[in-house]
Amino acid sequence: MTIQLGGKRTVRRAYGIDEIALVPGGRTVDPDVTDTRWSIGGIDREIPIIASAMDGVVDVSMAVELCRLGALGVLNLEGVQTRYEDPNPALDRIAAVGKHDFVPLMQELYSQPVQEVLIRRRIAEIREQGGIAAVSATPAAALRFGKAVAEAGADLFFVQATVVSTEHIGPEGRERLDLATLCREMGVPVVIGNCVTYNVALELMRAGAAGVLVGIGPGAACTSRGVLGVGIPQATAVADCAAARDDHERETGRRVPVIADGGIVTGGDICKCIACGADAVMIGSPIARAAEAPGRGFHWGMATPSPVLPRGTRISVGTTGSLEKILRGPASLDDGTQNLLGALKTSMGTLGARTLRDMQQVEVVVAPSLLTEGKVYQKAQQLGMGK
């Protein structure tokens, strides 16, 4: 449906996760027999959840623990883990600073150069402890450190920026990252993001991406939508990119997972993203609430420390329980932020979906009142969904 914006400009209506609902079909399935397994870059995982490459979310020990529990964590190769031999003093300062002094402190701490030796060391530490070494860098850092990442034995390489495309116009004489060449020659599966449209997702898949990250600006700590005015609400973005995946699979026989990245807080959000077509989700703030998370109860985005245009902030998320409780339960909170796997399996059972591919086929409706209908007491008393 197109809408007349004014003059000759028409626009398309796009939908966020909070504006849709999932519709039960003609059967139900026992949650115990649902199958949530998925694969990326030849690596199989039970839980379709990736912890974001953010310094308040994933360090070496968290990456290892996430793998042990059946999920996946991505280490930020341009964060404090690779700028400091011991990142703990920097993390302590980030947790202690006031909100008005936060951005200058981040710019100071992240001005310390990334050290290649620490990149190699962190990858080795994850592998030595039995974890999957999934690491992330911006395109500029991928140019600089890609060889070291491969030599260190990384299992997955995420190349991430606010917006990524296969066609980039830059200043004359400046080296640019050729994504197709990187995917072909890296020797490690390359996951690329972020994008929000059918055409760009399809081009990234054709370039050889092992996975595509979808989402611009919906993250809890991200301010890109306010700073840049850029983004598409996540339900529409995921559905469009999932359509590109399906067409690419029909053309080539190769399935490239679509990963919804950002704007996901509860188990219900995860379920809706998968129903829109995602194969998995990348989440930050829900994992930052784990007792084991390095952020000390805080969460901040990757673009926060930018020396010229910060596009993120630090938010307080608190600490609500162990990582195991958040991922696998049992939950002690009633707001959908714990036992995320249990929520997904229960939703799949309710909807009659045995597998994630079944889940991607369930009926979705536009439902702006889904989270408020009948919840007046919860909202007034700040309980459950009214918190």
Side-chain angles (χ1 to χ4, degrees), residues 268-311:
D269 296 339
I270 295 171
C271 299
K272 288 193 273 187
C273 282
I274 292 175
C276 286
D279 298 284
V281 299
M282 176 174 271
I283 57 177
S285 58
I287 304 297
R289 304 176 85 189
E292 302 94 328
R296 283 87 165 137
F298 289 94
H299 174 56
W300 57 96
M302 291 189 296
T304 303
S306 170
V308 293
L309 190 64
R311 298 185 305 281

Side-chain angles (χ1 to χ4, degrees), residues 35-380:
D35 185 356
T36 60
R37 291 175 297 174
W38 75 296
S39 178
I40 182 169
I43 296 171
D44 296 327
R45 296 278 79 200
E46 178 192 0
I47 304 176
I49 291 175
I50 304 174
S52 301
M54 297 177 175
D55 281 350
V57 180
V58 178
D59 58 9
V60 169
S61 61
M62 276 289 281
V64 173
E65 183 67 1
L66 283 155
C67 292
R68 185 187 72 81
L69 292 169
L72 186 67
V74 184
L75 186 73
N76 178 13
L77 292 185
E78 294 171 84
V80 295
Q81 299 294 326
T82 57
R83 295 176 191 266
Y84 298 93
E85 290 267 355
D86 179 6
N88 285 300
L91 291 166
D92 288 338
R93 290 182 67 189
I94 291 170
V97 72
K99 62 182 180 180
H100 297 298
D101 300 319
F102 170 67
V103 171
L105 173 65
M106 294 291 282
Q107 291 172 324
E108 172 200 331
L109 292 174
Y110 284 78
S111 67
Q112 181 79 8
V114 172
Q115 301 179 50
E116 183 178 311
V117 65
L118 290 179
I119 288 177
R120 294 176 181 270
R121 185 181 304 170
R122 301 306 183 219
I123 292 172
E125 288 170 347
I126 294 172
R127 290 178 61 86
E128 286 166 2
Q129 296 177 53
I132 297 166
V135 296
S136 172
T138 60
L143 270 174
R144 183 178 174 193
F145 298 117
K147 183 178 179 181
V149 169
E151 290 177 348
D155 297 298
L156 291 169
F157 188 31
F158 287 65
V159 178
Q160 292 183 257
T162 301
V163 177
V164 166
S165 63
T166 54
E167 182 178 351
H168 177 71
I169 301 170
E172 192 72 31
R174 180 182 296 178
E175 186 181 9
R176 71 177 184 86
L177 182 65
D178 185 320
L179 292 173
T181 300
L182 179 72
C183 293
R184 186 171 59 251
E185 299 180 356
M186 183 73 186
V188 175
V190 179
V191 182
I192 306 175
N194 284 31
C195 70
V196 288
T197 64
Y198 174 96
N199 288 334
V200 174
L202 186 59
E203 288 304 311
L204 293 176
M205 293 171 192
R206 288 173 173 169
V212 172
L213 297 162
V214 177
I216 296 174
C222 183
T223 61
S224 289
R225 289 182 175 178
V227 175
L228 305 178
V230 174
I232 289 181
Q234 197 69 318
T236 295
V238 170
D240 283 347
C241 294
R245 176 206 57 218
D246 294 343
D247 287 348
H248 182 262
E249 185 175 16
R250 278 190 289 270
E251 292 173 4
T252 67
R254 185 172 77 96
R255 187 176 181 85
V256 179
V258 164
I259 302 155
D261 176 17
I264 299 159
V265 177
T266 67
D269 296 339
I270 295 171
C271 299
K272 288 193 273 187
C273 282
I274 292 175
C276 286
D279 298 284
V281 299
M282 176 174 271
I283 57 177
S285 58
I287 304 297
R289 304 176 85 189
E292 302 94 328
R296 283 87 165 137
F298 289 94
H299 174 56
W300 57 96
M302 291 189 296
T304 303
S306 170
V308 293
L309 190 64
R311 298 185 305 281
T313 189
R314 181 199 63 176
I315 59 173
S316 175
V317 295
T319 300
T320 61
S322 69
L323 179 62
E324 183 166 9
K325 176 173 281 195
I326 289 170
L327 286 178
R328 306 187 74 106
S332 57
L333 298 176
D334 59 6
D335 58 3
T337 60
Q338 293 181 343
N339 195 3
L340 300 178
L341 176 61
L344 175 58
K345 292 176 77 69
T346 301
S347 180
M348 290 171 66
T350 302
L351 295 164
R354 279 250 0 217
T355 67
L356 295 184
R357 292 212 189 189
D358 292 340
M359 187 70 163
Q360 292 165 351
Q361 303 303 316
V362 303
E363 183 182 356
V364 180
V365 296
V366 176
S369 65
L370 179 73
L371 301 180
T372 56
E373 186 176 35
K375 302 298 183 290
V376 61
Y377 289 109
Q378 291 185 35
K379 185 176 181 180

